[in-house]
Amino acid sequence: MTNDEGSSRITGHASPTSDSWLLTTDLCIKCNICTSVCPVAAVTDLFPGPKVVGPQAQRFREPGAISLDRSVDYCSGCGVCSLVCPQGVQVAEMNILAKAALAERDGVSRRNRLLGRSEQVGRIGSWFAPLANFLLQNKFLRSLGERWFGVSREAPFPKFAWRSFRSRFARSGAGRDAAGIYKVVYFHGCSTNYYEPRVGMAAVKVLRLNGCKVSVAEQNCCGLPLQSNGELAAARAAAEANLRKLAPYVREGYVIVGTSTSCTFALKHEYRAVLGLHSEEAELVAGATYDFFEFLQKLEAEGRWQTGFRHAPERIVYHAPCQLRSHGIGRPAADLLRRVPGVTVLETQADCCGVAGTYGLKAEKYQIAKDVGRKAFHEIQKAQATRIACDSETCRWWLAQHTGLPAVHPVEILAEAYGVKRV
Amino acid sequence: MFAGALAAQHSARTLVMARGIGGTHLGTGTVDVWGPHSPAPSPDDKERRLERGSPSPEVELKKRRTRKHPLGLAGLPALRAALAEFKKICAAAGYPLAGEIHSNFFLPTALGAVRPTCLAPESFTAGEVRQPAELTLARFPGFRDFFADLAVSNLTAAGYAARAVALDLPDFPTRRDSFATDLARAFDEADYRAQVADRWRAALKGVSRLGIPAILGLDEPFTAWRDLSDRLGVEIFEIPILPPSVPGMRLFNNLRRTIEAAGGRVTLGPGIQGWVQADRQVGVIAETAGGPRKLSARSVILATGGFRHGGLESPAKGEVKESVFNLPVTTGKQWFAPLYWDAQPYTRFGVSVNAKMQPVDADGNVIYSNLFAIGGILAGADRLGEGSREGIDLATGWKAVEAMTNAK
């Protein structure tokens, strides 16, 4: 699909670049298409909808001033509004920045500071993994946590892994290949490193089976949790650190491939569109970043995708996370899993499972997130599958909690089909 | 979307890509085939129409068969097949459409004008103004997107018997303005409909048909409409109102589900550029989050619409460009007519195609062998003035998919 012929040419023109998001306010014709698909506005009248808090309110925000209307805080950041807008208004981006402006004025709560720092929480938690896991399952402590911090006592928390992905990777020797058809930097993200190292190990094995040389270059949290919780300066620092660490690899011909679809979306889009980073490094990294199955689909198009699968009869229900939709690449994981002999893939149609990163973990939003997710939960239960496959970790934990089905990253299913033992 | 559904039903790998959702969410949710607009008819007009029956889109189109109009190019057989196929898709989704190509309905609009349309959801048809029974229109106090009294005064002025009645909604008003979609989601719930029926029953004594804004359910609208009508013992009809258009969303959802059930994909968001390959084949370049990605396909269908939809652009005064493949655009000397409500010449600007819906140059030569163009981007039609929008979309979409699958 991606072959480049010699004398081909490009016609038409690119859309306005993302740094002009503010100008897109005036493209809004108030048609309300965004409101009609907003999953939060559909379940609560606390949120007036993306058009009202986005382009409509933006007209009252002088440059530098902020809206007095706090209802934008109920935006979950799922991004569906930007995708459906026929005029190219960057509604979601506008709302993230409006939320951040409110946070700057009113200060960021202890709770949001905590939720924004998934990397630090992960690192400290995994030092004391057994104890931390025990404490997080304790109902009394969780209710104290709700009262003091505002983190819902019901919200799902993953278990800290005793040994991080990076240390497992180092010990496995998987990074010592001399060459490969592609040189890949695997961007694992905090969740793989501290909670689900098995996802990372599966990803590395699948990449190597497909002939790629894998590195786990120095990297840090993508910054998205900080951004969603209103800490733009801290998010920007995390982003710049990643760009400094990753850009040299891209210059050496590496591509960046990640299994957390929200992290890869941050590298591709949010650094530029929301955090306003327009350096050469930002462009370089964005252009070289692939979501995991998007990369496999690229290999497939080039005729280099390995399909030596064992027969693995299973009925899977796949949920495409809202963040994946924002990539604009379709649903490559569902498309490729269907190619595994014996695997049946059913797909949910729901636009969002509700949790939207850290949104559903917050006490005052937990019920809203659950109501948003009801459609997805229902579809999953109806599917009569054995497992849920989903490319985003917070969605997996949330869906598993509310449906009672185990949830895995699609790469884990693929790794099993290649005959790789579960790790 | 319709072409995408047909293509997906024919071949497994279909991708519909769109920068956002289009006209369905803004439109009426009906299928206009041919029914030129006229001002709200006076009582005399009404008499005449009642005697003559409705102008038939089929007869009108036979009279004005022209190779310059997209419907003329696609031909009546394609139009008939397309309407049948579209009805089939909607019926399979549990949302049957009424109507046939040989007649139009005349349905009241939200402003109280009367509008001809060829296919309409079953839940619209009791609004047919040529039926003698008085039209009773519902006023939902606190709902700002439909003014029954305005519609009634215009209908009455045009000679139709109409009145308004105030009907309360349970759990209403809410803490913010409610949109049609909010009400539609509430009406999807059987419990809510039961509460509504209990509240409305007394106020509806003696009412034979009741017009309400089109908010009767999103997921199971046919069930919602039947159920509420049965509970009240009144013929209910829906009137399309301001966007977001609930009846339009139903059509979009039906088409999307049809595409996906047949193994196709609908990807919303990325902007598109054209990619002209060496051998007169085209592909597209999708602006994904990470950057441009090239996609090639056996066939590409361009359905980007006219000026209002981004398919045509005017970069400078007097200039016209087709926005994706830079195709030649058939224009005219005049752009505008003196009066706003006149037929505007620019609406007829567009891409010229052959009978297979392949874009052609001024000499009639096919420009790219695997490219088809359909819908609002085509030259020769004043879709709004003719009331031909969906008829053109469906017929040309059907024709392109036929040509595409035959070429395989």
PDB file of all heavy atoms in Angstrom, chain A residues 4 8-9 11 13-15 36 41 45 47 84 294 327 335 347 349, chain B residues 19 21 175-176 185 260 265 274 276 287 289 293-294 313 323-324:
ATOM      1  N   ASP A   4       6.257   3.699  -3.378  1.00  0.00           N
ATOM      2  CA  ASP A   4       6.406   5.010  -3.985  1.00  0.00           C
ATOM      3  C   ASP A   4       6.958   4.851  -5.398  1.00  0.00           C
ATOM      4  O   ASP A   4       8.080   4.407  -5.579  1.00  0.00           O
ATOM      5  CB  ASP A   4       7.373   5.830  -3.130  1.00  0.00           C
ATOM      6  CG  ASP A   4       7.104   7.302  -3.317  1.00  0.00           C
ATOM      7  OD1 ASP A   4       6.460   7.661  -4.321  1.00  0.00           O
ATOM      8  OD2 ASP A   4       7.534   8.070  -2.471  1.00  0.00           O
ATOM      9  N   SER A   8       5.388   9.741  -9.452  1.00  0.00           N
ATOM     10  CA  SER A   8       4.095  10.076  -8.865  1.00  0.00           C
ATOM     11  C   SER A   8       4.123  11.508  -8.332  1.00  0.00           C
ATOM     12  O   SER A   8       5.180  12.076  -8.096  1.00  0.00           O
ATOM     13  CB  SER A   8       3.759   9.115  -7.733  1.00  0.00           C
ATOM     14  OG  SER A   8       4.561   9.364  -6.616  1.00  0.00           O
ATOM     15  N   ARG A   9       2.937  12.100  -8.219  1.00  0.00           N
ATOM     16  CA  ARG A   9       2.901  13.471  -7.680  1.00  0.00           C
ATOM     17  C   ARG A   9       1.694  13.628  -6.760  1.00  0.00           C
ATOM     18  O   ARG A   9       0.765  12.809  -6.789  1.00  0.00           O
ATOM     19  CB  ARG A   9       2.866  14.486  -8.817  1.00  0.00           C
ATOM     20  CG  ARG A   9       1.610  14.405  -9.654  1.00  0.00           C
ATOM     21  CD  ARG A   9       1.752  15.211 -10.951  1.00  0.00           C
ATOM     22  NE  ARG A   9       0.740  14.784 -11.904  1.00  0.00           N
ATOM     23  CZ  ARG A   9      -0.505  15.266 -11.928  1.00  0.00           C
ATOM     24  NH1 ARG A   9      -0.883  16.193 -11.078  1.00  0.00           N
ATOM     25  NH2 ARG A   9      -1.387  14.825 -12.808  1.00  0.00           N
ATOM     26  N   THR A  11      -1.439  15.938  -5.323  1.00  0.00           N
ATOM     27  CA  THR A  11      -2.337  17.036  -5.686  1.00  0.00           C
ATOM     28  C   THR A  11      -3.123  17.454  -4.459  1.00  0.00           C
ATOM     29  O   THR A  11      -3.142  16.766  -3.454  1.00  0.00           O
ATOM     30  CB  THR A  11      -3.330  16.598  -6.787  1.00  0.00           C
ATOM     31  OG1 THR A  11      -4.035  15.447  -6.310  1.00  0.00           O
ATOM     32  CG2 THR A  11      -2.632  16.269  -8.072  1.00  0.00           C
ATOM     33  N   HIS A  13      -4.078  20.078  -1.283  1.00  0.00           N
ATOM     34  CA  HIS A  13      -3.200  20.761  -0.330  1.00  0.00           C
ATOM     35  C   HIS A  13      -3.447  20.222   1.066  1.00  0.00           C
ATOM     36  O   HIS A  13      -4.506  19.680   1.362  1.00  0.00           O
ATOM     37  CB  HIS A  13      -3.423  22.269  -0.367  1.00  0.00           C
ATOM     38  CG  HIS A  13      -4.848  22.646  -0.126  1.00  0.00           C
ATOM     39  ND1 HIS A  13      -5.410  22.639   1.131  1.00  0.00           N
ATOM     40  CD2 HIS A  13      -5.840  22.981  -0.982  1.00  0.00           C
ATOM     41  CE1 HIS A  13      -6.673  22.989   1.030  1.00  0.00           C
ATOM     42  NE2 HIS A  13      -6.971  23.190  -0.236  1.00  0.00           N
ATOM     43  N   ALA A  14      -2.439  20.394   1.929  1.00  0.00           N
ATOM     44  CA  ALA A  14      -2.563  19.905   3.296  1.00  0.00           C
ATOM     45  C   ALA A  14      -3.533  20.794   4.079  1.00  0.00           C
ATOM     46  O   ALA A  14      -3.767  21.941   3.715  1.00  0.00           O
ATOM     47  CB  ALA A  14      -1.204  19.906   3.956  1.00  0.00           C
ATOM     48  N   SER A  15      -4.079  20.226   5.151  1.00  0.00           N
ATOM     49  CA  SER A  15      -4.957  21.011   6.018  1.00  0.00           C
ATOM     50  C   SER A  15      -4.107  22.036   6.772  1.00  0.00           C
ATOM     51  O   SER A  15      -2.900  21.882   6.861  1.00  0.00           O
ATOM     52  CB  SER A  15      -5.638  20.094   7.024  1.00  0.00           C
ATOM     53  OG  SER A  15      -6.324  19.092   6.347  1.00  0.00           O
ATOM     54  N   SER A  36     -23.505  16.091  19.042  1.00  0.00           N
ATOM     55  CA  SER A  36     -24.350  14.917  18.816  1.00  0.00           C
ATOM     56  C   SER A  36     -23.595  13.618  19.065  1.00  0.00           C
ATOM     57  O   SER A  36     -24.212  12.594  19.330  1.00  0.00           O
ATOM     58  CB  SER A  36     -24.925  14.936  17.401  1.00  0.00           C
ATOM     59  OG  SER A  36     -23.919  14.660  16.459  1.00  0.00           O
ATOM     60  N   ALA A  41     -21.558  14.358  27.041  1.00  0.00           N
ATOM     61  CA  ALA A  41     -22.805  15.131  26.983  1.00  0.00           C
ATOM     62  C   ALA A  41     -24.015  14.205  26.864  1.00  0.00           C
ATOM     63  O   ALA A  41     -25.115  14.554  27.266  1.00  0.00           O
ATOM     64  CB  ALA A  41     -22.770  16.112  25.819  1.00  0.00           C
ATOM     65  N   ASP A  45     -25.994  16.165  32.163  1.00  0.00           N
ATOM     66  CA  ASP A  45     -26.263  17.563  31.810  1.00  0.00           C
ATOM     67  C   ASP A  45     -25.312  18.508  32.550  1.00  0.00           C
ATOM     68  O   ASP A  45     -25.473  19.714  32.509  1.00  0.00           O
ATOM     69  CB  ASP A  45     -27.732  17.925  32.044  1.00  0.00           C
ATOM     70  CG  ASP A  45     -28.158  17.728  33.475  1.00  0.00           C
ATOM     71  OD1 ASP A  45     -27.312  17.351  34.307  1.00  0.00           O
ATOM     72  OD2 ASP A  45     -29.349  17.952  33.771  1.00  0.00           O
ATOM     73  N   PHE A  47     -22.282  18.589  31.632  1.00  0.00           N
ATOM     74  CA  PHE A  47     -21.410  18.985  30.530  1.00  0.00           C
ATOM     75  C   PHE A  47     -22.262  19.494  29.372  1.00  0.00           C
ATOM     76  O   PHE A  47     -23.071  18.750  28.830  1.00  0.00           O
ATOM     77  CB  PHE A  47     -20.557  17.796  30.072  1.00  0.00           C
ATOM     78  CG  PHE A  47     -19.509  18.166  29.052  1.00  0.00           C
ATOM     79  CD1 PHE A  47     -18.610  19.192  29.301  1.00  0.00           C
ATOM     80  CD2 PHE A  47     -19.419  17.493  27.843  1.00  0.00           C
ATOM     81  CE1 PHE A  47     -17.641  19.546  28.363  1.00  0.00           C
ATOM     82  CE2 PHE A  47     -18.457  17.837  26.901  1.00  0.00           C
ATOM     83  CZ  PHE A  47     -17.571  18.868  27.166  1.00  0.00           C
ATOM     84  N   VAL A  84     -15.035  14.266  14.210  1.00  0.00           N
ATOM     85  CA  VAL A  84     -16.277  14.345  13.440  1.00  0.00           C
ATOM     86  C   VAL A  84     -16.508  15.728  12.857  1.00  0.00           C
ATOM     87  O   VAL A  84     -17.398  15.904  12.033  1.00  0.00           O
ATOM     88  CB  VAL A  84     -17.506  13.942  14.283  1.00  0.00           C
ATOM     89  CG1 VAL A  84     -17.374  12.507  14.764  1.00  0.00           C
ATOM     90  CG2 VAL A  84     -17.708  14.896  15.451  1.00  0.00           C
ATOM     91  N   GLU A 294      -0.152  -0.523  13.575  1.00  0.00           N
ATOM     92  CA  GLU A 294       0.034   0.304  12.379  1.00  0.00           C
ATOM     93  C   GLU A 294       1.373  -0.076  11.727  1.00  0.00           C
ATOM     94  O   GLU A 294       1.475  -0.191  10.504  1.00  0.00           O
ATOM     95  CB  GLU A 294       0.043   1.786  12.794  1.00  0.00           C
ATOM     96  CG  GLU A 294       0.247   2.746  11.639  1.00  0.00           C
ATOM     97  CD  GLU A 294       0.496   4.181  12.122  1.00  0.00           C
ATOM     98  OE1 GLU A 294       0.834   4.376  13.303  1.00  0.00           O
ATOM     99  OE2 GLU A 294       0.360   5.091  11.294  1.00  0.00           O
ATOM    100  N   HIS A 327      -5.676   8.684  15.870  1.00  0.00           N
ATOM    101  CA  HIS A 327      -4.519   8.483  14.995  1.00  0.00           C
ATOM    102  C   HIS A 327      -4.904   8.612  13.515  1.00  0.00           C
ATOM    103  O   HIS A 327      -4.064   8.890  12.677  1.00  0.00           O
ATOM    104  CB  HIS A 327      -3.941   7.075  15.188  1.00  0.00           C
ATOM    105  CG  HIS A 327      -3.110   6.903  16.423  1.00  0.00           C
ATOM    106  ND1 HIS A 327      -1.742   6.878  16.394  1.00  0.00           N
ATOM    107  CD2 HIS A 327      -3.441   6.730  17.722  1.00  0.00           C
ATOM    108  CE1 HIS A 327      -1.267   6.682  17.624  1.00  0.00           C
ATOM    109  NE2 HIS A 327      -2.288   6.595  18.448  1.00  0.00           N
ATOM    110  N   ASP A 335      -7.875  -5.712  12.211  1.00  0.00           N
ATOM    111  CA  ASP A 335      -7.661  -6.225  10.858  1.00  0.00           C
ATOM    112  C   ASP A 335      -6.623  -7.356  10.848  1.00  0.00           C
ATOM    113  O   ASP A 335      -6.800  -8.357  10.159  1.00  0.00           O
ATOM    114  CB  ASP A 335      -7.187  -5.108   9.924  1.00  0.00           C
ATOM    115  CG  ASP A 335      -8.287  -4.088   9.654  1.00  0.00           C
ATOM    116  OD1 ASP A 335      -9.465  -4.442   9.875  1.00  0.00           O
ATOM    117  OD2 ASP A 335      -7.980  -2.964   9.227  1.00  0.00           O
ATOM    118  N   GLU A 347     -16.112  -6.613  17.103  1.00  0.00           N
ATOM    119  CA  GLU A 347     -15.670  -5.262  17.456  1.00  0.00           C
ATOM    120  C   GLU A 347     -16.795  -4.484  18.121  1.00  0.00           C
ATOM    121  O   GLU A 347     -17.947  -4.595  17.720  1.00  0.00           O
ATOM    122  CB  GLU A 347     -15.238  -4.505  16.201  1.00  0.00           C
ATOM    123  CG  GLU A 347     -14.008  -5.083  15.549  1.00  0.00           C
ATOM    124  CD  GLU A 347     -13.634  -4.328  14.296  1.00  0.00           C
ATOM    125  OE1 GLU A 347     -13.616  -3.088  14.322  1.00  0.00           O
ATOM    126  OE2 GLU A 347     -13.368  -4.986  13.269  1.00  0.00           O
ATOM    127  N   GLN A 349     -18.753  -0.965  18.823  1.00  0.00           N
ATOM    128  CA  GLN A 349     -18.994   0.256  18.054  1.00  0.00           C
ATOM    129  C   GLN A 349     -18.917   1.482  18.947  1.00  0.00           C
ATOM    130  O   GLN A 349     -18.799   2.604  18.462  1.00  0.00           O
ATOM    131  CB  GLN A 349     -20.369   0.206  17.383  1.00  0.00           C
ATOM    132  CG  GLN A 349     -20.565  -0.969  16.449  1.00  0.00           C
ATOM    133  CD  GLN A 349     -19.509  -1.046  15.375  1.00  0.00           C
ATOM    134  OE1 GLN A 349     -19.090  -0.034  14.836  1.00  0.00           O
ATOM    135  NE2 GLN A 349     -19.039  -2.243  15.076  1.00  0.00           N
TER     136      GLN A 349
ATOM    137  N   ARG B  19     -13.088  13.679   6.350  1.00  0.00           N
ATOM    138  CA  ARG B  19     -12.699  14.679   7.324  1.00  0.00           C
ATOM    139  C   ARG B  19     -13.978  15.132   8.011  1.00  0.00           C
ATOM    140  O   ARG B  19     -14.618  16.071   7.627  1.00  0.00           O
ATOM    141  CB  ARG B  19     -12.042  15.855   6.607  1.00  0.00           C
ATOM    142  CG  ARG B  19     -11.785  16.954   7.567  1.00  0.00           C
ATOM    143  CD  ARG B  19     -10.614  17.762   7.148  1.00  0.00           C
ATOM    144  NE  ARG B  19     -10.072  18.343   8.364  1.00  0.00           N
ATOM    145  CZ  ARG B  19      -9.151  19.267   8.374  1.00  0.00           C
ATOM    146  NH1 ARG B  19      -8.642  19.674   7.251  1.00  0.00           N
ATOM    147  NH2 ARG B  19      -8.717  19.761   9.498  1.00  0.00           N
ATOM    148  N   ILE B  21     -17.915  14.304   9.824  1.00  0.00           N
ATOM    149  CA  ILE B  21     -19.199  13.771   9.380  1.00  0.00           C
ATOM    150  C   ILE B  21     -19.871  14.832   8.522  1.00  0.00           C
ATOM    151  O   ILE B  21     -19.761  16.016   8.795  1.00  0.00           O
ATOM    152  CB  ILE B  21     -20.069  13.425  10.606  1.00  0.00           C
ATOM    153  CG1 ILE B  21     -19.479  12.227  11.349  1.00  0.00           C
ATOM    154  CG2 ILE B  21     -21.501  13.152  10.183  1.00  0.00           C
ATOM    155  CD1 ILE B  21     -20.177  11.897  12.639  1.00  0.00           C
ATOM    156  N   ARG B 175     -30.254  20.939  33.394  1.00  0.00           N
ATOM    157  CA  ARG B 175     -29.397  22.038  33.849  1.00  0.00           C
ATOM    158  C   ARG B 175     -28.738  22.788  32.698  1.00  0.00           C
ATOM    159  O   ARG B 175     -28.058  23.760  32.898  1.00  0.00           O
ATOM    160  CB  ARG B 175     -28.333  21.490  34.805  1.00  0.00           C
ATOM    161  CG  ARG B 175     -28.893  21.193  36.182  1.00  0.00           C
ATOM    162  CD  ARG B 175     -27.886  20.484  37.042  1.00  0.00           C
ATOM    163  NE  ARG B 175     -27.786  19.076  36.695  1.00  0.00           N
ATOM    164  CZ  ARG B 175     -27.081  18.185  37.398  1.00  0.00           C
ATOM    165  NH1 ARG B 175     -26.425  18.564  38.462  1.00  0.00           N
ATOM    166  NH2 ARG B 175     -27.046  16.910  37.028  1.00  0.00           N
ATOM    167  N   ARG B 176     -28.883  22.300  31.509  1.00  0.00           N
ATOM    168  CA  ARG B 176     -28.373  23.031  30.349  1.00  0.00           C
ATOM    169  C   ARG B 176     -29.387  22.891  29.224  1.00  0.00           C
ATOM    170  O   ARG B 176     -30.314  22.089  29.325  1.00  0.00           O
ATOM    171  CB  ARG B 176     -27.042  22.458  29.899  1.00  0.00           C
ATOM    172  CG  ARG B 176     -27.125  20.991  29.497  1.00  0.00           C
ATOM    173  CD  ARG B 176     -25.928  20.591  28.665  1.00  0.00           C
ATOM    174  NE  ARG B 176     -25.754  19.163  28.588  1.00  0.00           N
ATOM    175  CZ  ARG B 176     -26.402  18.347  27.750  1.00  0.00           C
ATOM    176  NH1 ARG B 176     -27.331  18.812  26.938  1.00  0.00           N
ATOM    177  NH2 ARG B 176     -26.141  17.056  27.737  1.00  0.00           N
ATOM    178  N   ARG B 185     -32.277  10.211  22.958  1.00  0.00           N
ATOM    179  CA  ARG B 185     -31.750   9.134  23.800  1.00  0.00           C
ATOM    180  C   ARG B 185     -32.735   8.796  24.906  1.00  0.00           C
ATOM    181  O   ARG B 185     -32.885   7.635  25.279  1.00  0.00           O
ATOM    182  CB  ARG B 185     -30.392   9.530  24.387  1.00  0.00           C
ATOM    183  CG  ARG B 185     -29.302   9.562  23.330  1.00  0.00           C
ATOM    184  CD  ARG B 185     -27.925   9.865  23.900  1.00  0.00           C
ATOM    185  NE  ARG B 185     -26.972   9.974  22.805  1.00  0.00           N
ATOM    186  CZ  ARG B 185     -26.429  11.121  22.382  1.00  0.00           C
ATOM    187  NH1 ARG B 185     -26.712  12.252  22.992  1.00  0.00           N
ATOM    188  NH2 ARG B 185     -25.601  11.127  21.362  1.00  0.00           N
ATOM    189  N   GLU B 260     -19.583  -1.633   8.091  1.00  0.00           N
ATOM    190  CA  GLU B 260     -18.725  -2.390   9.005  1.00  0.00           C
ATOM    191  C   GLU B 260     -19.136  -3.856   9.076  1.00  0.00           C
ATOM    192  O   GLU B 260     -18.277  -4.736   9.183  1.00  0.00           O
ATOM    193  CB  GLU B 260     -18.709  -1.718  10.380  1.00  0.00           C
ATOM    194  CG  GLU B 260     -17.891  -0.436  10.307  1.00  0.00           C
ATOM    195  CD  GLU B 260     -17.950   0.450  11.543  1.00  0.00           C
ATOM    196  OE1 GLU B 260     -18.848   0.246  12.384  1.00  0.00           O
ATOM    197  OE2 GLU B 260     -17.116   1.346  11.647  1.00  0.00           O
ATOM    198  N   ARG B 265     -14.427  -0.373   6.448  1.00  0.00           N
ATOM    199  CA  ARG B 265     -13.992   0.511   7.532  1.00  0.00           C
ATOM    200  C   ARG B 265     -14.451   1.931   7.267  1.00  0.00           C
ATOM    201  O   ARG B 265     -14.501   2.365   6.113  1.00  0.00           O
ATOM    202  CB  ARG B 265     -12.469   0.532   7.619  1.00  0.00           C
ATOM    203  CG  ARG B 265     -11.869  -0.684   8.223  1.00  0.00           C
ATOM    204  CD  ARG B 265     -11.483  -0.424   9.672  1.00  0.00           C
ATOM    205  NE  ARG B 265     -11.049  -1.642  10.310  1.00  0.00           N
ATOM    206  CZ  ARG B 265     -11.810  -2.369  11.123  1.00  0.00           C
ATOM    207  NH1 ARG B 265     -13.025  -1.971  11.422  1.00  0.00           N
ATOM    208  NH2 ARG B 265     -11.357  -3.469  11.659  1.00  0.00           N
ATOM    209  N   GLY B 274      -4.551  14.174  -2.921  1.00  0.00           N
ATOM    210  CA  GLY B 274      -4.513  13.212  -4.017  1.00  0.00           C
ATOM    211  C   GLY B 274      -3.097  12.707  -4.246  1.00  0.00           C
ATOM    212  O   GLY B 274      -2.127  13.387  -3.949  1.00  0.00           O
ATOM    213  N   VAL B 276      -1.234  11.026  -7.430  1.00  0.00           N
ATOM    214  CA  VAL B 276      -1.331  10.597  -8.815  1.00  0.00           C
ATOM    215  C   VAL B 276      -0.116   9.752  -9.141  1.00  0.00           C
ATOM    216  O   VAL B 276       1.014  10.209  -9.045  1.00  0.00           O
ATOM    217  CB  VAL B 276      -1.415  11.813  -9.763  1.00  0.00           C
ATOM    218  CG1 VAL B 276      -1.492  11.339 -11.201  1.00  0.00           C
ATOM    219  CG2 VAL B 276      -2.629  12.658  -9.423  1.00  0.00           C
ATOM    220  N   GLU B 287      -3.870  12.387   5.922  1.00  0.00           N
ATOM    221  CA  GLU B 287      -3.129  13.123   6.952  1.00  0.00           C
ATOM    222  C   GLU B 287      -3.432  12.486   8.302  1.00  0.00           C
ATOM    223  O   GLU B 287      -4.356  12.880   8.992  1.00  0.00           O
ATOM    224  CB  GLU B 287      -3.579  14.582   6.988  1.00  0.00           C
ATOM    225  CG  GLU B 287      -3.177  15.375   5.803  1.00  0.00           C
ATOM    226  CD  GLU B 287      -3.865  16.739   5.792  1.00  0.00           C
ATOM    227  OE1 GLU B 287      -4.563  17.099   6.750  1.00  0.00           O
ATOM    228  OE2 GLU B 287      -3.695  17.429   4.787  1.00  0.00           O
ATOM    229  N   ALA B 289      -2.375  11.305  12.273  1.00  0.00           N
ATOM    230  CA  ALA B 289      -1.819  12.095  13.363  1.00  0.00           C
ATOM    231  C   ALA B 289      -0.303  12.222  13.225  1.00  0.00           C
ATOM    232  O   ALA B 289       0.283  13.252  13.533  1.00  0.00           O
ATOM    233  CB  ALA B 289      -2.191  11.470  14.700  1.00  0.00           C
ATOM    234  N   ARG B 293       0.235   9.482   5.085  1.00  0.00           N
ATOM    235  CA  ARG B 293       0.418   8.064   4.770  1.00  0.00           C
ATOM    236  C   ARG B 293      -0.249   7.788   3.422  1.00  0.00           C
ATOM    237  O   ARG B 293      -1.402   8.127   3.218  1.00  0.00           O
ATOM    238  CB  ARG B 293      -0.230   7.174   5.828  1.00  0.00           C
ATOM    239  CG  ARG B 293       0.274   7.397   7.242  1.00  0.00           C
ATOM    240  CD  ARG B 293       1.482   6.525   7.564  1.00  0.00           C
ATOM    241  NE  ARG B 293       1.738   6.483   8.994  1.00  0.00           N
ATOM    242  CZ  ARG B 293       2.661   7.215   9.634  1.00  0.00           C
ATOM    243  NH1 ARG B 293       3.418   8.063   8.978  1.00  0.00           N
ATOM    244  NH2 ARG B 293       2.823   7.095  10.944  1.00  0.00           N
ATOM    245  N   LYS B 294       0.487   7.153   2.535  1.00  0.00           N
ATOM    246  CA  LYS B 294      -0.049   6.873   1.200  1.00  0.00           C
ATOM    247  C   LYS B 294      -0.920   5.630   1.203  1.00  0.00           C
ATOM    248  O   LYS B 294      -0.562   4.619   1.804  1.00  0.00           O
ATOM    249  CB  LYS B 294       1.100   6.676   0.220  1.00  0.00           C
ATOM    250  CG  LYS B 294       1.775   7.979  -0.155  1.00  0.00           C
ATOM    251  CD  LYS B 294       2.912   7.749  -1.118  1.00  0.00           C
ATOM    252  CE  LYS B 294       3.440   9.098  -1.609  1.00  0.00           C
ATOM    253  NZ  LYS B 294       4.653   8.957  -2.389  1.00  0.00           N
ATOM    254  N   GLU B 313     -13.236  24.587  -4.251  1.00  0.00           N
ATOM    255  CA  GLU B 313     -12.710  25.743  -3.531  1.00  0.00           C
ATOM    256  C   GLU B 313     -12.554  26.892  -4.497  1.00  0.00           C
ATOM    257  O   GLU B 313     -12.356  26.676  -5.698  1.00  0.00           O
ATOM    258  CB  GLU B 313     -11.328  25.415  -2.953  1.00  0.00           C
ATOM    259  CG  GLU B 313     -11.389  24.394  -1.842  1.00  0.00           C
ATOM    260  CD  GLU B 313     -10.016  23.968  -1.368  1.00  0.00           C
ATOM    261  OE1 GLU B 313      -9.050  24.127  -2.141  1.00  0.00           O
ATOM    262  OE2 GLU B 313      -9.928  23.483  -0.232  1.00  0.00           O
ATOM    263  N   SER B 323     -10.615  20.214  -4.926  1.00  0.00           N
ATOM    264  CA  SER B 323      -9.644  20.304  -3.837  1.00  0.00           C
ATOM    265  C   SER B 323      -8.715  19.104  -3.670  1.00  0.00           C
ATOM    266  O   SER B 323      -7.673  19.229  -3.054  1.00  0.00           O
ATOM    267  CB  SER B 323     -10.382  20.565  -2.519  1.00  0.00           C
ATOM    268  OG  SER B 323     -11.212  19.463  -2.212  1.00  0.00           O
ATOM    269  N   VAL B 324      -9.033  17.942  -4.191  1.00  0.00           N
ATOM    270  CA  VAL B 324      -8.190  16.777  -3.920  1.00  0.00           C
ATOM    271  C   VAL B 324      -7.292  16.412  -5.114  1.00  0.00           C
ATOM    272  O   VAL B 324      -6.076  16.287  -4.971  1.00  0.00           O
ATOM    273  CB  VAL B 324      -9.040  15.550  -3.500  1.00  0.00           C
ATOM    274  CG1 VAL B 324      -8.141  14.347  -3.255  1.00  0.00           C
ATOM    275  CG2 VAL B 324      -9.838  15.864  -2.239  1.00  0.00           C
TER     276      VAL B 324
END
